[in-house]
C-alpha cells in the first residue's frame, strides 16, 4: 500500500496527461505562454479571486507574498508552531522575525486566542512591529478565519493564507485561497492539487499587489520589457508543461475530492470510538491532504505505527518537531514560551494513508490493523 498513490491517479488520467504534455512539446512555449495564463484564469475562478499568479513553488509563493507586502527586518510575522517549516523559513529569509503561535488541539490550526496573546506580548516588548499573520490550513482544514480575520484587522495585520495543503477546501461558500490579503497554494506532487514537479500560486484581489507579484517573479522587470527592472526580484515561474498537467488534474478534482471524502468517512466510522479523529467544524470542508489521528500517548502511537509497518502499511508522523524546537531557529530570538498544544500533538499524532484512489478494502485494512494494535496495547497496559 502507498501513502498517497500518485501512480493510480496517473493511470486514470494517462491519455489526457500524455496529450497535454505532447501539446506543449509540439508548441514549444516552455516558459509562460497561453497555457499558463489559462491555468491561472481557471484557478482564480475556482477560488473566486480576481488574480492568480503562478510561481515555482509554494515556498516561493509565501516568500513573494512577504516581499510584496514590504515585510523585512524589525517586523514580526505570526505563524503556527505546528506546520511545515516553509512559512517560518521564508519569514526568516526576509529578515523579519517569526513569532510562533500555539494551535488548537482539535483542529491543529492556529489558536486565535493565543495569537492575540502573542501580538500583545510583541507590542508590550516594543522591539518588533506586528505586520502579518500567516496561518496554515493544516492537513487540508481551513483555519478559524472567522476569528483570525477580525483579530488581524484589529491590529492592522495583513493575512497571508498558507493554503499549500488546502486547495479545494471551504468555509461556507468561501473557498480556501480567498481567506488572505494574499493566499498561497502549492502544486508539490503529493498536495491535494499536485503537478509532476514543483509549483505554486498566489491569489489576491488587489490589482496593485498582483501587478507587483508578476514583476517580482521575473527579476523585477517592468511589464513588457525584460531588460529594464524596477526593483530587485527573482526567477520564480511555473513551467508550461506543469501548467498543462494541472489543467488536466483540475478537471478531475471534484470527482477525486468526493472519493477522498469517502475514505475519510470510512476512517471516521471505524476509528472515532478509539482515537481522536479529525473533526471538521460545521460549515467547513477539508481538502484531506492528510488524515491525522491522535493516540493516547507517544508509546501507543509508536506501537500502532510499527504494527502498520509490519502489515505493509505506510504512515507518517506529521510533524515530529514543532517550529520552536527546530535547530535552525534556535538562534532566532523569538519570544520564548511554552507550547502546550503543539507539544501534546507532536507526541501523539499519526497520519494515515489517504488519497482519492484508495479502495474501500484498503481503508478498512488500515483500520483493522490499528484496532488490533490498540487492543494489544490495552492488554499490555493492563498486565
Ligand atoms: C508543502 C507546504 C508548503 C511549501 O510548498 P512547496 O511547494 O513544497 O514549496 C508550505 N506550507 C505548507 C503548510 C505545506 O504543506
Amino acid at each position: 500500500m502507498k501513502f498517497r498513490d500518485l501512480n493510480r491517479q496517473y493511470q486514470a488520467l494517462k491519455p489526457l496527461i500524455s496529450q497535454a504534455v505532447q501539446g506543449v512539446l509540439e508548441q514549444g512555449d516552455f516558459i509562460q505562454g497561453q497555457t499558463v495564463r489559462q491555468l491561472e484564469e481557471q484557478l482564480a475562478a475556482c477560488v473566486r479571486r480576481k488574480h492568480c499568479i503562478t510561481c515555482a513553488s509554494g515556498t516561493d509563493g509565501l516568500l513573494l507574498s512577504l516581499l510584496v507586502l514590504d515585510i523585512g527586518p524589525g517586523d514580526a510575522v505570526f505563524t503556527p508552531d505546528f506546520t511545515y517549516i516553509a512559512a517560518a523559513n521564508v519569514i526568516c529569509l526576509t529578515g523579519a522575525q517569526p513569532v510562533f503561535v500555539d494551535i488548537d488541539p482539535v483542529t491543529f490550526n492556529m489558536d486565535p486566542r493565543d495569537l492575540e496573546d502573542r501580538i500583545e506580548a510583541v507590542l508590550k516588548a516594543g522591539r518588533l512591529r506586528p505586520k502579518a499573520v500567516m496561518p496554515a490550513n493544516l492537513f487540508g482544514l481551513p483555519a478559524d478565519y472567522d476569528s483570525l480575520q477580525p483579530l488581524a484587522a484589529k491590529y492592522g495585520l495583513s493575512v497571508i493564507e498558507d493554503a499549500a495543503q488546502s486547495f479545494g477546501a471551504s468555509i461556507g461558500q468561501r473557498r480556501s485561497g480567498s481567506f488572505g490579503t494574499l493566499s498561497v497554494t502549492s502544486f508539490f506532487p503529493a498536495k491535494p492539487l499536485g503537478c509532476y514537479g514543483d509549483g505554486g500560486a498566489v491569489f489576491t484581489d488587489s490589482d496593485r499587489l498582483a501587478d507587483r507579484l508578476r514583476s517580482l517573479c521575473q527579476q523585477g522587470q517592468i511589464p513588457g520589457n525584460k531588460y529594464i527592472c524596477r526593483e530587485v526580484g527573482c526567477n520564480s515561474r511555473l513551467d508550461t508543461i506543469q501548467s498543462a498537467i494541472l489543467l488536466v488534474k483540475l478537471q478531475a478534482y471534484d470527482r477525486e475530492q468526493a472519493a477522498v471524502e469517502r475514505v475519510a468517512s470510512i476512517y471516521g466510522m471505524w476509528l472515532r470510538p478509539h482515537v481522536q479523529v479529525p473533526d471538521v467544524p460545521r460549515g467547513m470542508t477539508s481538502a484531506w491532504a492528510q488524515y491525522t489521528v491522535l493516540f493516547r500517548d507517544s508509546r501507543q502511537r509508536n506501537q500502532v505505527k510499527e504494527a502498520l509497518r509490519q502489515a505493509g502499511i505506510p504512515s507518517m508522523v506529521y510533524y515530529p518537531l514543532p517550529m520552536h524546537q527546530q535547530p535552525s531557529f534556535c538562534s532566532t530570538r523569538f519570544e520564548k514560551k511554552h507550547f502546550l498544544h503543539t507539544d501534546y500533538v507532536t507526541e501523539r499524532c499519526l497520519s494515515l494513508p489517504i488519497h482519492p484512489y484508495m479502495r474501500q478494502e484498503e481503508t478498512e485494512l488500515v483500520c483493522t490493523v490499528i484496532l488490533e494494535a490498540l487492543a494489544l496495547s490495552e492488554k499490555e497496559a493492563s498486565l
Side-chain angles (χ1 to χ4, degrees):
M1 197 183 300
K2 287 193 178 149
F3 190 68
R4 192 169 179 93
D5 199 328
L6 293 173
N7 189 261
R8 280 190 202 162
Q9 184 197 42
Y10 174 58
Q11 293 307 326
L13 303 176
K14 194 170 177 172
L16 293 170
I17 285 175
S18 299
Q19 197 184 8
V21 172
Q22 204 63 44
V24 177
L25 296 180
E26 296 292 343
Q27 208 167 331
D29 58 346
F30 302 114
I31 301 292
Q32 300 294 298
Q34 202 43 46
T35 308
V36 184
R37 291 287 164 268
Q38 198 186 337
L39 175 71
E40 289 177 338
E41 277 166 25
Q42 290 194 17
L43 289 171
C46 265
V47 304
R48 303 188 196 108
R49 295 217 73 167
K50 199 163 169 196
H51 302 283
C52 169
I53 301 96
T54 52
C55 59
S57 71
T59 307
D60 271 11
L62 293 171
L63 177 62
L64 289 158
S65 298
L66 292 167
L67 292 176
V68 82
L69 293 172
D70 294 311
I71 287 167
D75 296 334
V77 181
F78 300 85
T79 194
D81 187 44
F82 183 68
T83 182
Y84 183 60
I85 201 165
N89 268 345
V90 297
I91 294 165
C92 292
L93 284 175
T94 66
Q97 187 168 314
V99 178
F100 301 125
V101 179
D102 206 357
I103 55 161
D104 178 300
V106 174
T107 63
F108 306 143
N109 280 323
M110 182 184 274
D111 175 6
R113 268 189 312 190
D114 197 55
L115 172 63
E116 183 151 30
D117 288 351
R118 295 293 90 215
I119 298 171
E120 287 291 348
V122 167
L123 288 171
K124 193 156 161 248
R127 204 170 47 78
L128 298 166
R129 290 177 300 270
K131 270 301 246 313
V133 52
M134 198 182 256
N137 306 325
L138 207 68
F139 305 145
L141 182 70
D144 179 7
Y145 291 96
D146 289 339
S147 305
L148 294 172
Q149 282 166 338
L151 262 182
K154 176 176 167 187
Y155 291 98
L157 310 183
S158 303
V159 177
I160 302 171
E161 176 193 0
D162 181 351
Q165 300 184 3
S166 61
F167 185 85
S170 60
I171 306 177
Q173 297 303 307
R174 295 178 296 155
R175 291 291 187 89
S176 174
S178 70
F179 303 133
T181 316
L182 296 150
S183 298
V184 178
T185 198
S186 161
F187 304 124
F188 181 80
K191 307 281 167 148
L193 179 65
C195 59
Y196 290 143
D198 277 310
V202 185
F203 298 96
T204 184
D205 291 325
S206 158
D207 296 342
R208 185 182 59 82
L209 293 178
D211 174 63
R212 195 169 159 210
L213 276 169
R214 286 205 185 284
S215 162
L216 281 171
C217 288
Q218 309 216 50
Q219 312 289 0
Q221 71 191 39
I222 60 171
N225 194 323
K226 247 179 146 164
Y227 301 106
I228 303 179
C229 297
R230 61 187 181 191
E231 66 177 318
V232 175
C234 61
N235 172 14
S236 185
R237 297 179 293 226
L238 183 69
D239 294 352
T240 312
I241 286 180
Q242 300 300 345
S243 302
I245 291 164
L246 283 166
L247 279 167
V248 173
K249 292 211 190 181
L250 199 53
Q251 291 301 315
Y253 189 82
D254 286 345
R255 173 178 55 75
E256 291 187 346
Q257 210 45 36
V260 90
E261 203 55 75
R262 285 194 291 276
V263 177
S265 78
I266 295 171
Y267 273 142
M269 268 184 322
W270 281 64
L271 300 177
R272 189 177 294 277
H274 308 280
V275 296
Q276 182 185 315
V277 296
D279 201 16
V280 178
R282 189 185 296 273
M284 286 194 189
T285 63
S286 173
W288 295 117
Q290 303 296 342
Y291 193 91
T292 304
V293 301
L294 292 192
F295 292 96
R296 191 179 55 213
D297 49 31
S298 63
R299 187 166 166 224
Q300 190 182 63
R301 186 263 310 273
N302 296 340
Q303 282 171 337
V304 172
K305 188 173 190 341
E306 177 56 21
L308 286 167
R309 194 192 64 76
Q310 283 178 14
I313 298 167
S315 64
M316 306 291 277
V317 175
Y318 289 137
Y319 294 93
L321 210 56
M323 295 305 116
H324 76 276
Q325 289 182 26
Q326 290 288 346
S328 55
F329 300 136
C330 283
S331 62
T332 315
R333 291 184 305 148
F334 58 78
E335 318 290 324
K336 291 273 189 295
K337 81 183 274 276
H338 190 51
F339 293 90
L340 206 62
H341 294 143
T342 60
D343 289 336
Y344 179 89
V345 170
T346 45
E347 281 171 18
R348 293 166 176 80
C349 61
L350 192 66
S351 301
L352 308 177
I354 189 166
H355 59 85
Y357 298 86
M358 197 158 163
R359 302 183 185 113
Q360 179 166 349
E361 56 275 21
E362 292 175 314
T363 314
E364 290 178 350
L365 176 65
V366 178
C367 296
T368 307
V369 174
I370 292 174
L371 295 191
E372 280 170 7
L374 283 177
L376 201 66
S377 118
E378 295 300 333
K379 215 157 107 190
E380 270 177 28
S382 70
L383 283 178

